[in-house]
Amino acid sequence: MRLKNTLTNIKEEFQPLGDRVGIYTCGMTVQTIPHIGHMKTFITADVLKRYLIFKGYQVTHVTNFTDIDDKIIIKAKESGEDWRALAQRNIDIFFKVSDHLNIMRADYYPRATQFIEEIISLIDRLIQRGFGYIVDGDVYFPVERFPKYGQLAKKELKELMPGARVAVDEKKRHPLDFALWKAAKEGEPWWYSPWGKGRPGWHIECSAMSMYLLGETFDIHTGAEDLIFPHHENEIAQSVSATGKNFVRFWIHNTWLSLSGEKMSKSTGHYLTAEEILQKYSPQAIRLFFLKSHYRMPQEYDEDRLKEAELAFDRVRAFLNRVEPIGEEVLRLTDFEAAMDDDLNTPKALGIIFELVREGYEKIDSSEAKKIAHSVRVLLEVLGFDLAPSISGREKALIEELIRLRSNLRREKRYDLADQIRSRLKELGVIVEDKREGSIWRVVR
RNA sequence: GGCGGCAUAGCCAAGUGGUAAGGCGGCGGUCUGCAAAACCGCUAUACCCCGGUUCGAAUCCGGGUGCCGCCUCCA
């Protein structure tokens, strides 16, 4: 399997370091509820993880929450809510949305505030080794002391334009030095540290938590491309400086989701929440919308594309509804794996699944169709599509009773009533189709 | 100023040297009480432009144009 590594900018053959594949996904700063753009990142990581598991790897997956930072403090102060309650509320919504989208739960969901001790000892280690300096209770990382600074983002220290958009803090020795620890101002939350009361800087938590849970060198770190600089660059600088070891072997970054041609961003308010999108579209359609485009290609949020995905997935679901899956063998598996092995080419993999579906329809009443149904099921599940029925047994029995009644009406040519039942069921999300051999039905949405 | 990404049919989107996957839409047909679904056929002489390399290029090289992003917090 080859994965495009941001560090080297080429597709590299992936081999795990040890028995288990360690994956760290940069999670949310829980100052707001998740928007649809966030979900692209978590679905990308989900597909990578599911595919690795499918290939037989043991995976340890970590997704963090940044539950303390400037904006959380500001927001809490503005609303009068306790900052912990605010963070928890957003975390709760994240889980609700994430589960709804059938994103596999990570093995660990560490929070910055639960790792203060580890963070402090990591900062201490950095200071001991000369990679941290203290100014008025703040601790900064001196980027000039790390020769490879900029290697991930392919930036040269002297070519960067510090202060281009934000005033340079005169406390720092170099404008790009970043805070490992921030002294608490009046009224802010704080923890005790050797440098006084304060809180961790943004980047250090990810180094502390990932190394604690996955080891000082681990396999895969994922996130959206906007985190490459400075966040991931800083993670590397801190971690390597503290341990003297390589930090992450594969850096995987997905693109942003844009909205009306502009980046979707919570700081500008230019975004749509995940919850509102889930009101309008099925989790499967949303997943299909994302996977139809390669994770590293620019993608625009577009309602028409979502509607399209809904129709396309409905066709697949209707096939699986009609044909009982039978068999062991997964057809087209070699093609599917070749696509996925090539840096997770989900658009190509989906193309293979759609080809199978068409072939299945062609041979709808044959045993071949049953084998195809089994194959389609397996492959869709590798990609994380939830194919479980969305209705209860009682609902199913009721619907089938109505269909039976309607069939009798049709036999008696009482089409007015039969059509009424059909259109009423449609309003309720149950599609009825009359075939030569009888009526079939399925649930949409 | 530096760095990176993208440009393929009506729309979305794979394809990185061998003659254009897939999805949605559209048109014609089969089937059908009607509807729907499904199936069949058609829907890019062609991949932003110009030049080059090659037997052969959407794919490689050079030069343009356009759009987006990063160098602030952001998934």
Side-chain angles (χ1 to χ4, degrees):
Chain A
M1 176 183 197
R2 292 156 75 233
L3 290 171
K4 174 94 171 237
N5 190 349
T6 307
L7 202 55
T8 53
N9 213 26
I10 54 172
K11 290 180 192 172
E12 292 178 48
E13 188 60 37
F14 175 74
Q15 286 294 337
L17 197 59
D19 299 340
R20 300 185 72 90
V21 180
I23 305 178
Y24 186 90
T25 299
C26 258
M28 291 184 60
T29 302
V30 285
Q31 45 159 308
T32 58
I33 58 178
H35 65 241
I36 188 67
H38 291 122
M39 293 304 126
K40 182 182 168 87
T41 295
F42 298 115
I43 286 176
T44 300
D46 187 53
V47 170
L48 170 63
K49 173 183 172 181
R50 284 172 184 272
Y51 187 60
L52 287 167
I53 292 169
F54 175 72
K55 300 270 281 182
Y57 294 109
Q58 302 271 92
V59 174
T60 303
H61 185 211
V62 179
T63 299
N64 73 293
F65 291 113
T66 299
D67 60 346
I68 181 73
D69 88 317
D70 294 358
K71 284 184 181 163
I72 291 172
I73 294 168
I74 291 164
K75 284 211 168 187
K77 199 172 283 180
E78 278 170 6
S79 65
E81 188 178 15
D82 184 86
W83 62 271
R84 281 160 291 220
L86 183 147
Q88 186 59 50
R89 193 157 40 81
N90 289 323
I91 288 169
D92 291 344
I93 296 169
F94 169 85
F95 278 125
K96 184 181 143 206
V97 166
S98 180
D99 289 346
H100 199 162
L101 284 167
N102 202 33
I103 291 165
M104 276 177 84
R105 288 273 180 140
D107 299 288
Y108 301 97
Y109 286 99
R111 305 180 188 191
T113 57
Q114 297 167 332
F115 278 77
I116 300 296
E117 269 184 52
E118 288 78 6
I119 289 168
I120 287 173
S121 82
L122 184 60
I123 295 171
D124 196 47
R125 207 163 152 192
L126 283 166
I127 294 171
Q128 301 294 325
R129 299 185 66 148
F131 289 102
Y133 61 92
I134 305 155
V135 187
D136 304 336
D138 292 340
V139 183
Y140 293 99
F141 183 95
V143 292
E144 285 171 307
R145 286 223 51 212
F146 189 67
K148 285 189 175 169
Y149 194 80
Q151 63 172 339
L152 184 72
K154 314 286 180 288
K155 292 178 189 303
E156 296 285 335
L157 214 43
K158 52 183 172 295
E159 283 168 356
L160 290 164
M161 284 182 78
R165 292 159 76 183
V166 149
V168 173
D169 188 338
E170 70 286 350
K171 281 181 180 176
K172 300 177 186 177
R173 291 182 193 161
H174 183 100
L176 283 162
D177 289 354
F178 55 91
L180 298 168
W181 187 262
K182 293 176 141 181
K185 298 193 192 78
E186 188 61 36
E188 290 183 347
W190 52 266
W191 289 260
Y192 282 116
S193 85
W195 321 286
K197 294 174 182 178
R199 64 177 184 278
W202 177 35
H203 317 291
I204 194 71
E205 61 175 90
C206 281
S207 290
M209 297 188 293
S210 63
M211 292 198 290
Y212 182 84
L213 292 164
L214 296 172
E216 293 184 342
T217 301
F218 60 93
D219 291 308
I220 299 175
H221 192 131
T222 77
E225 61 178 351
D226 56 297
L227 295 182
I228 294 171
F229 196 91
H231 186 235
H232 291 163
E233 194 70 57
N234 292 351
E235 277 186 51
I236 294 173
Q238 292 162 345
S239 306
V240 173
S241 300
T243 66
K245 296 177 190 164
N246 187 21
F247 174 48
V248 168
R249 301 174 62 232
F250 283 77
W251 287 92
I252 310 294
H253 291 101
N254 57 272
T255 56
W256 285 79
L257 188 66
S258 63
L259 178 62
S260 314
E262 284 173 45
K263 59 179 178 172
M264 202 181 280
S265 171
K266 63 186 164 192
S267 59
T268 56
H270 186 251
Y271 65 86
L272 298 162
T273 70
E275 280 179 305
E276 64 185 299
I277 307 306
L278 273 162
Q279 296 270 320
K280 295 166 83 172
Y281 303 101
S282 70
Q284 291 83 1
I286 294 168
R287 187 173 281 260
L288 182 58
F289 165 76
F290 284 125
L291 300 188
K292 271 180 68 183
S293 179
H294 187 88
Y295 76 92
R296 278 190 292 100
M297 289 296 171
Q299 188 177 22
E300 164 83 4
Y301 175 83
D302 188 326
E303 300 262 327
D304 289 340
R305 299 288 84 71
L306 257 324
K307 287 174 193 153
E308 220 177 84
E310 199 76 77
L311 289 168
F313 191 78
D314 198 43
R315 177 161 161 261
V316 175
R317 190 160 28 198
F319 170 69
L320 294 177
N321 233 297
R322 276 179 74 175
V323 184
E324 184 193 3
I326 289 178
E328 294 291 317
E329 188 195 358
V330 178
L331 303 164
R332 300 292 304 274
L333 183 60
T334 310
D335 294 337
F336 178 84
E337 289 198 59
M340 292 298 285
D341 281 346
D342 184 17
D343 194 29
L344 303 179
N345 193 338
T346 54
K348 197 172 190 174
L350 285 167
I352 292 159
I353 293 173
F354 279 106
E355 281 168 2
L356 276 173
V357 170
R358 186 159 51 75
E359 197 189 332
Y361 270 123
E362 274 172 39
K363 305 170 178 172
I364 193 81
D365 291 318
S366 70
S367 63
E368 184 70 10
K370 293 178 178 171
K371 291 181 192 168
I372 290 172
H374 170 254
S375 305
V376 167
R377 245 171 207 289
V378 170
L379 298 179
L380 285 174
E381 277 168 2
V382 173
L383 297 178
F385 288 93
D386 181 8
L387 302 171
S390 55
I391 57 167
S392 69
R394 183 178 298 183
E395 284 170 324
K396 187 178 173 196
L398 279 167
I399 292 165
E400 282 176 349
E401 197 52 44
L402 270 171
I403 302 283
R404 243 191 306 280
L405 176 68
R406 180 171 171 275
S407 295
N408 291 336
L409 291 170
R410 288 183 67 228
R411 215 166 293 134
E412 294 163 20
K413 304 221 188 296
R414 295 165 69 181
Y415 294 121
D416 271 11
L417 262 179
D419 289 353
Q420 260 182 49
I421 292 171
R422 183 172 62 194
S423 65
R424 185 69 192 114
L425 280 172
K426 187 176 181 180
E427 286 167 31
L428 295 168
V430 180
I431 304 289
V432 180
E433 288 164 10
D434 300 328
K435 303 288 173 191
R436 196 187 293 258
E437 62 288 350
S439 301
I440 60 168
W441 62 277
R442 67 179 194 277
V443 178
V444 294
R445 234 176 311 147

